[in-house]
Amino acid sequence: MHVSVLGAGTMGHGIAQVSAMAGHEVTMRDIEDEYVQRGLDAIEQNLQGGVDRNKVTEAEMSATLDRLSGTTSLEAAVSGADLVVEAVPEDMDLKRDTVSDVESLVDDDTIIASNTSSLSVTEIMSALDDPGRGVGLHFFNPVHIMGLVEVVVAEQTDAETLSFATEFVEGIDKTAIEVGDSPGFASSRLGVALGVEAMRMVQEGVASPRDIDASMELGYNHPMGPIELGDVVGLDVRLGILEYLREELGERFRPPQILKRKVRAGKLGKKTGEGFYVWEDGEIVGVSEDVMGR
């Protein structure tokens, strides 16, 4: 198939990579050449890491890169696509505008998917003239490692679209779970609930970020603790999801003040070099001073 991925950021380039590794021709689009190149570079680095660990062969790496291309043109990206996956920032208006623009440029049978982690897929796809072709495909970070994809069934998603989406997920060697279009779906709702409680514990001085993370990594066998995961996802993203879930589901999702202060200060986690932790070259090198001693 021809798969178009809109967004070359963390999720976008990950979706592009696993799609190309599965044999699909992939076009990845972003709004600036710099962002596109950064995404392509990240894919090459991920693949080289797989080669170094004997998880990917040199031939597989070369073939995957050959199936990938990048562009800043939306029309070029989606032309002839069988599947378009939007992975633009978590903003409802932006996502609705994006899928609407895509529909005007693609064939009648092209499936349009959203990688939103919490927003209503029903509302996003209501921007389409044919919303039955819309579906949610919620991938997890890092996409090339995580095995789960939530297939989110919007109110309008038709049976053919759902079948196509499920087969696509299984074809890229992921496990598909079908979830209804409820706020936060299954994974984000549970994951954010754990993350927000961990932040409250830091705020209340119950334990340090490192010890809270260790309690879940060692006590519950989580691959990454909830505080570190928040830094990796982006604290601004976490805040946006919490505000949305609070509006939809109530006060148990009220964002803690410590999170609001971090976002106001521009300490958004790994991508800015500091969140609850201090980051250098993608690795934790310390704990942020404004949570030390809490």
Coordinates of all heavy atoms in Angstrom, one line a residue, residues 196-238:
V196 N -0.8 11.3 36.8 CA -1.2 12.5 37.5 C -1.1 12.2 39.0 O -0.7 13.1 39.8 CB -2.7 12.9 37.2 CG1 -3.7 12.0 37.7 CG2 -3.0 14.3 37.7
E197 N -1.4 11.0 39.5 CA -1.3 10.6 40.9 C 0.2 10.6 41.3 O 0.6 11.1 42.4 CB -1.9 9.3 41.2 CG -2.0 9.0 42.7 CD -2.8 10.0 43.5 OE1 -3.8 10.6 42.9 OE2 -2.5 10.2 44.7
A198 N 1.1 10.2 40.4 CA 2.5 10.2 40.7 C 3.0 11.7 40.8 O 3.8 11.9 41.7 CB 3.3 9.5 39.5
M199 N 2.5 12.6 40.0 CA 2.9 14.0 40.1 C 2.4 14.6 41.4 O 3.1 15.4 42.1 CB 2.3 14.8 38.9 CG 2.9 14.5 37.6 SD 2.1 15.4 36.3 CE 2.5 14.4 34.8
R200 N 1.2 14.2 41.8 CA 0.7 14.7 43.1 C 1.5 14.2 44.3 O 1.8 14.9 45.2 CB -0.8 14.2 43.3 CG -1.8 14.9 42.4 CD -3.2 14.6 42.8 NE -4.2 15.1 41.9 CZ -4.9 14.3 41.1 NH1 -4.8 13.0 41.1 NH2 -5.8 14.8 40.3
M201 N 2.0 13.0 44.1 CA 2.9 12.4 45.2 C 4.2 13.2 45.3 O 4.7 13.4 46.4 CB 3.1 10.9 44.9 CG 1.9 10.1 45.1 SD 2.1 8.4 44.5 CE 3.4 7.8 45.6
V202 N 4.7 13.6 44.1 CA 5.9 14.4 44.1 C 5.6 15.8 44.8 O 6.3 16.3 45.7 CB 6.5 14.7 42.7 CG1 7.6 15.7 42.7 CG2 7.0 13.4 42.1
Q203 N 4.5 16.4 44.4 CA 4.1 17.7 44.9 C 3.9 17.6 46.4 O 4.2 18.6 47.2 CB 2.7 18.0 44.2 CG 2.2 19.4 44.6 CD 1.0 19.7 43.8 OE1 1.1 20.1 42.6 NE2 -0.2 19.6 44.3
E204 N 3.4 16.5 46.9 CA 3.1 16.4 48.4 C 4.3 15.9 49.2 O 4.2 15.8 50.4 CB 1.9 15.4 48.6 CG 0.6 16.0 48.0 CD -0.5 14.9 47.9 OE1 -0.3 13.8 48.5 OE2 -1.5 15.2 47.3
G205 N 5.4 15.6 48.5 CA 6.6 15.1 49.2 C 6.5 13.7 49.6 O 7.3 13.3 50.5
V206 N 5.7 12.9 49.0 CA 5.6 11.5 49.4 C 6.9 10.7 49.1 O 7.3 9.9 49.9 CB 4.4 10.8 48.7 CG1 4.3 9.3 49.0 CG2 3.1 11.5 49.2
A207 N 7.4 11.0 47.9 CA 8.7 10.4 47.5 C 9.2 11.1 46.4 O 8.6 12.0 45.8 CB 8.4 8.9 47.1
S208 N 10.5 10.9 46.1 CA 11.2 11.6 45.0 C 10.7 11.0 43.6 O 10.2 9.9 43.6 CB 12.7 11.4 45.1 OG 13.0 10.1 44.8
P209 N 10.9 11.7 42.5 CA 10.6 11.2 41.2 C 11.3 9.8 41.0 O 10.6 8.9 40.4 CB 11.0 12.3 40.2 CG 10.9 13.5 41.0 CD 11.3 13.2 42.4
R210 N 12.5 9.7 41.3 CA 13.3 8.5 41.1 C 12.7 7.3 41.8 O 12.5 6.2 41.3 CB 14.7 8.6 41.4 CG 15.6 9.5 40.5 CD 17.0 9.4 40.8 NE 17.9 10.3 40.1 CZ 18.3 10.1 38.8 NH1 17.9 9.0 38.2 NH2 19.1 11.0 38.2
D211 N 12.3 7.6 43.1 CA 11.7 6.5 43.9 C 10.3 6.1 43.5 O 10.0 4.9 43.5 CB 11.8 6.9 45.4 CG 13.2 6.9 46.0 OD1 14.1 6.3 45.3 OD2 13.4 7.5 47.0
I212 N 9.5 7.1 43.1 CA 8.2 6.8 42.6 C 8.3 5.9 41.3 O 7.6 4.9 41.1 CB 7.4 8.1 42.3 CG1 7.1 8.7 43.6 CG2 6.1 7.8 41.5 CD1 6.5 10.1 43.4
D213 N 9.2 6.3 40.4 CA 9.4 5.5 39.2 C 9.9 4.1 39.5 O 9.4 3.1 38.9 CB 10.4 6.3 38.2 CG 9.7 7.4 37.5 OD1 8.5 7.5 37.5 OD2 10.4 8.2 36.9
A214 N 10.9 4.0 40.4 CA 11.4 2.7 40.8 C 10.3 1.8 41.4 O 10.3 0.6 41.1 CB 12.5 2.9 41.8
S215 N 9.4 2.4 42.1 CA 8.3 1.6 42.7 C 7.5 0.9 41.6 O 7.0 -0.2 41.8 CB 7.4 2.5 43.6 OG 6.6 3.3 42.9
M216 N 7.2 1.6 40.5 CA 6.4 1.0 39.5 C 7.3 0.1 38.5 O 6.8 -0.9 38.1 CB 5.7 2.1 38.6 CG 4.8 3.0 39.5 SD 3.6 2.0 40.5 CE 2.7 1.2 39.2
E217 N 8.5 0.5 38.3 CA 9.4 -0.4 37.5 C 9.7 -1.7 38.1 O 9.7 -2.8 37.5 CB 10.6 0.4 37.1 CG 10.4 1.6 36.2 CD 11.6 2.6 36.2 OE1 12.6 2.2 36.8 OE2 11.5 3.6 35.6
L218 N 10.1 -1.6 39.4 CA 10.5 -2.8 40.1 C 9.3 -3.5 40.8 O 9.3 -4.8 40.9 CB 11.6 -2.5 41.1 CG 12.8 -1.8 40.6 CD1 13.8 -1.5 41.7 CD2 13.5 -2.7 39.5
G219 N 8.4 -2.8 41.3 CA 7.2 -3.4 42.0 C 6.1 -3.9 41.1 O 5.5 -4.9 41.5
Y220 N 6.0 -3.3 39.9 CA 4.9 -3.7 39.0 C 5.4 -4.1 37.6 O 4.6 -4.3 36.7 CB 3.9 -2.6 38.9 CG 3.0 -2.4 40.1 CD1 3.4 -1.7 41.2 CD2 1.7 -3.0 40.2 CE1 2.7 -1.6 42.4 CE2 1.0 -2.9 41.3 CZ 1.4 -2.2 42.4 OH 0.6 -2.0 43.6
N221 N 6.7 -4.1 37.5 CA 7.3 -4.5 36.2 C 7.0 -3.6 35.0 O 6.9 -4.0 33.9 CB 7.0 -6.0 35.9 CG 8.0 -6.6 35.0 OD1 9.2 -6.3 35.0 ND2 7.6 -7.6 34.2
H222 N 6.7 -2.3 35.3 CA 6.5 -1.4 34.2 C 7.9 -1.1 33.6 O 8.9 -0.9 34.3 CB 5.9 0.0 34.8 CG 4.5 -0.2 35.2 ND1 3.7 0.9 35.3 CD2 3.7 -1.3 35.4 CE1 2.4 0.5 35.6 NE2 2.5 -0.8 35.7
P223 N 7.9 -1.0 32.3 CA 9.2 -0.7 31.6 C 9.8 0.7 31.9 O 11.0 1.0 31.8 CB 8.9 -0.9 30.1 CG 7.5 -0.7 30.0 CD 6.9 -1.2 31.3
M224 N 8.9 1.6 32.3 CA 9.3 3.0 32.6 C 8.3 3.6 33.6 O 7.1 3.3 33.5 CB 9.2 3.9 31.3 CG 9.6 5.3 31.4 SD 9.4 6.2 29.9 CE 10.6 5.4 28.8
G225 N 8.8 4.3 34.6 CA 8.0 4.9 35.6 C 7.1 6.0 35.1 O 7.4 6.6 34.1
P226 N 6.1 6.3 35.9 CA 5.1 7.3 35.4 C 5.6 8.7 35.3 O 5.2 9.5 34.4 CB 4.0 7.2 36.4 CG 4.6 6.7 37.6 CD 5.6 5.7 37.1
I227 N 6.6 9.1 36.1 CA 7.2 10.4 36.1 C 8.1 10.5 34.8 O 8.0 11.5 34.1 CB 8.0 10.8 37.3 CG1 7.1 10.7 38.6 CG2 8.6 12.1 37.2 CD1 6.0 11.8 38.6
E228 N 8.9 9.6 34.6 CA 9.8 9.6 33.4 C 8.9 9.5 32.2 O 9.2 10.3 31.2 CB 10.7 8.4 33.4 CG 11.7 8.3 32.2 CD 12.6 7.1 32.2 OE1 12.6 6.4 33.2 OE2 13.3 6.9 31.2
L229 N 7.9 8.7 32.2 CA 7.0 8.7 31.0 C 6.4 10.0 30.7 O 6.3 10.4 29.5 CB 5.9 7.6 31.2 CG 5.0 7.4 30.0 CD1 5.7 7.0 28.8 CD2 3.9 6.4 30.4
G230 N 6.0 10.8 31.7 CA 5.5 12.1 31.5 C 6.5 13.0 30.8 O 6.1 13.8 29.9
D231 N 7.7 12.9 31.2 CA 8.8 13.7 30.6 C 9.0 13.3 29.1 O 9.3 14.1 28.3 CB 10.1 13.5 31.4 CG 10.3 14.6 32.4 OD1 9.4 15.3 32.8 OD2 11.5 14.7 32.9
V232 N 8.9 12.0 28.9 CA 9.1 11.5 27.5 C 8.0 11.9 26.6 O 8.2 12.4 25.5 CB 9.3 10.0 27.5 CG1 9.3 9.4 26.1 CG2 10.6 9.6 28.2
V233 N 6.8 11.8 27.1 CA 5.6 12.2 26.3 C 5.6 13.7 26.0 O 5.2 14.2 25.0 CB 4.3 11.7 27.0 CG1 3.1 12.3 26.3 CG2 4.2 10.2 27.0
G234 N 5.9 14.5 27.1 CA 5.9 15.9 27.0 C 4.9 16.4 28.1 O 3.7 16.0 28.0
L235 N 5.3 17.2 29.0 CA 4.4 17.7 30.1 C 3.3 18.6 29.5 O 2.2 18.6 30.1 CB 5.2 18.4 31.2 CG 6.3 17.5 31.8 CD1 6.9 18.3 33.0 CD2 5.7 16.2 32.4
D236 N 3.6 19.3 28.4 CA 2.5 20.1 27.8 C 1.4 19.2 27.2 O 0.2 19.5 27.3 CB 3.1 21.0 26.7 CG 3.9 20.3 25.7 OD1 4.5 19.2 26.0 OD2 4.1 20.8 24.6
V237 N 1.8 18.0 26.7 CA 0.9 17.1 26.2 C 0.1 16.5 27.3 O -1.2 16.4 27.2 CB 1.6 16.0 25.4 CG1 0.6 14.9 24.9 CG2 2.3 16.6 24.2
R238 N 0.8 16.1 28.4 CA 0.1 15.6 29.6 C -1.0 16.6 30.1 O -2.1 16.2 30.4 CB 1.1 15.3 30.7 CG 1.8 14.0 30.5 CD 0.9 12.8 30.7 NE 1.6 11.6 31.2 CZ 1.3 10.4 30.8 NH1 0.4 10.2 29.9 NH2 2.0 9.4 31.2

